[in-house]
Amino acid sequence: MPSNKNKLRIAVLGQKNLDRSGGIEVVVTELTTRMVKLGHEVTCYNRRGHHVSGKEFDTNIKDSYQGVQIKTVPTIDKKGLAAMTSSFFAAIYCAFGKYDIVHFHAEGPCAMLWLPKLFDKRCIATVHGIDWQREKWKGGFASKYIKFGEKVAVKYADEIIVLSKNIQDYFKDTYGRETVFIPNGVNKPEVREPQLIIDKFNLNKDDYILYLGRLVPEKGLRYLITAFKEVKTDKKLVIAGGASDTDSFFTEIKELVKNDPRIIFTGFVQGQILEELYSNAYIYTLPSDLEGMPLSLLEAMSYGNCCLTSDIDECAQVVKDKAVTFKKSAINDLREKLQYLCYNSDVVDKYKTEASNYICEEYNWDDVVKQTMHLYN
């Protein structure tokens, strides 16, 4: 425990809640609960509104979670306005609150970072990805607003944390701004036998190829579905995740899977079903065009999965030689790699034996917290 002299009062904003509704939420949950265990005082300013996959997944968090103080701020729960309004009110509370550190997560919320800086707060920004490039925001006000948040962070943040070397280069080349590379972490999981996934989806061990993440265009689902439909295999393709703000895209990909009964949509998953899906996949695949640092990839490897990802830096730098990559956006290359792995279970088994130890040693949440606390100080 730190002495009272070293105890920090930390405010965190940008997340929806402390849960698994998205990558930012997982990161904030892992960091803040560990900071509390180290003896620091942490307050999270959460949005109002329902879980991205529907109110049935809402987490019943009241005023605290594992020692983290929770304050829910006013929010206009509409696409494009929720992040803006919640971060505005959160930033005001942080400006007037007695905090040593105000930590902003994601570029959009950083648009309000100047507010606590007016009151001489030490402000840290974590950029999880270049969000204005995401397809759902392109060409509109939201994209411009998110990019404005990026520029505010560059100008006013005391420190900027980035999750990949690629994004670190982007800030240096675009703004001449130095950033600090602190990757995400992962926990060593308990591998589960298939039970619920047999009952609910008729899935057994090594029976399926798994995609797990948001159903958004930049994740490469169009390529994955198109490629898989041409793969000769009895294995299923399981697409697990919520549709978020992209209902039209979900309709498009549902149309794409027509006439292929091997493709299964599970919707958003959590808890034991999520753990069983990770534990029993034949291959985990992430065909993204755009990532920050994909937590689902770290988690999939931690369960000992053979992973197949696009060759973007944010994935390739994580997996190194412990997974298979294909050329980004190249449907034929993806199809060929899927077919090769379906035909060669010995190759799949080799990657499985190496994945978990490698990723759990390389990316550790306790190390991430230690580096973050060093930056705070």
Side-chain angles (χ1 to χ4, degrees), residues 289-300:
D289 286 338
L290 181 70
E291 286 287 349
M293 186 182 191
L295 272 169
S296 62
L297 177 57
L298 270 64
E299 291 177 346

Side-chain angles (χ1 to χ4, degrees), residues 94-111:
C94 292
F96 288 98
K98 294 181 178 179
Y99 298 114
D100 303 302
I101 303 289
V102 181
H103 195 150
F104 285 74
H105 283 266
E107 292 185 322
C110 284

Side-chain angles (χ1 to χ4, degrees), residues 90-355:
I92 289 176
Y93 291 133
C94 292
F96 288 98
K98 294 181 178 179
Y99 298 114
D100 303 302
I101 303 289
V102 181
H103 195 150
F104 285 74
H105 283 266
E107 292 185 322
C110 284
M112 302 300 171
L113 191 146
W114 60 274
L115 276 166
K117 281 307 296 179
L118 280 178
F119 293 79
D120 293 326
K121 297 293 194 296
R122 179 164 172 78
C123 293
I124 311 292
T126 293
V127 175
H128 293 255
I130 309 302
D131 291 337
W132 56 268
Q133 294 178 351
R134 299 188 188 280
E135 189 166 323
K136 70 176 180 177
W137 303 125
K138 277 186 177 178
F141 170 75
S143 176
K144 293 181 176 64
Y145 179 80
I146 293 168
K147 194 162 189 179
F148 170 70
E150 177 179 290
K151 292 177 178 178
V152 171
V154 166
K155 185 172 182 179
Y156 293 107
D158 293 284
E159 301 284 357
I160 298 176
I161 297 170
V162 295
L163 306 183
S164 74
K165 298 291 188 182
N166 196 38
I167 295 177
Q168 191 170 41
D169 291 342
Y170 166 80
F171 275 89
K172 181 66 175 174
D173 296 343
T174 306
Y175 301 105
R177 174 71 197 248
E178 296 292 344
T179 58
V180 180
F181 169 60
I182 304 179
N184 287 329
V186 71
N187 298 310
K188 185 79 172 177
E190 177 187 348
V191 175
R192 289 183 173 270
E193 295 294 318
Q195 294 176 354
L196 296 180
I197 62 172
I198 294 175
D199 297 337
K200 193 159 186 176
F201 306 114
N202 195 29
L203 296 172
N204 283 284
K205 186 168 181 60
D206 291 336
D207 200 20
Y208 58 94
I209 295 162
L210 176 65
Y211 164 87
L212 196 149
R214 295 270 183 89
L215 307 189
V216 291
E218 62 268 17
K219 293 286 190 181
L221 283 167
R222 293 185 183 103
Y223 321 133
L224 176 59
I225 292 168
T226 303
F228 178 79
K229 286 168 73 174
E230 297 179 5
V231 173
K232 296 178 176 63
T233 181
D234 292 332
K235 297 190 186 300
K236 302 176 181 73
L237 173 62
V238 174
I239 298 174
S244 188
D245 294 317
T246 50
D247 290 340
S248 61
F249 177 69
F250 183 58
T251 302
E252 177 190 335
I253 61 171
K254 287 285 280 187
E255 187 69 22
L256 261 182
V257 307
K258 269 188 174 179
N259 306 319
D260 195 331
R262 299 174 300 167
I263 303 175
I264 298 169
F265 290 89
T266 68
F268 176 79
V269 291
Q270 59 186 351
Q272 186 176 336
I273 290 181
L274 172 68
E275 293 163 7
E276 289 186 18
L277 284 172
Y278 273 139
S279 297
N280 297 286
Y282 180 68
I283 301 166
Y284 169 86
T285 184
L286 186 65
S288 297
D289 286 338
L290 181 70
E291 286 287 349
M293 186 182 191
L295 272 169
S296 62
L297 177 57
L298 270 64
E299 291 177 346
M301 292 188 78
S302 76
Y303 277 89
N305 276 293
C306 171
C307 294
L308 172 62
T309 79
S310 59
D311 63 357
I312 60 174
D313 287 343
E314 290 80 1
C315 291
Q317 289 171 3
V318 169
V319 302
K320 296 184 179 173
D321 63 347
K322 306 301 182 187
V324 181
T325 62
F326 71 95
K327 186 173 176 57
K328 183 188 88 167
S329 309
I331 293 171
N332 286 338
D333 192 27
L334 175 54
R335 175 184 52 76
E336 288 170 8
K337 297 286 171 58
L338 283 169
Q339 190 68 76
Y340 173 76
L341 292 171
C342 285
Y343 280 157
N344 293 276
S345 60
D346 56 327
V347 175
V348 171
D349 290 340
K350 171 186 172 293
Y351 283 109
K352 285 188 173 189
T353 59
E354 298 174 348

Side-chain angles (χ1 to χ4, degrees), residues 1-4 6-10 32-42 373:
M1 289 283 183
S3 65
N4 285 335
N6 296 322
K7 177 180 177 180
L8 292 177
R9 292 165 298 185
I10 304 161
T32 57
T33 52
R34 282 172 167 79
M35 288 172 181
V36 166
K37 287 177 183 175
L38 291 173
H40 301 287
E41 184 181 304
V42 184
M373 295 307 306

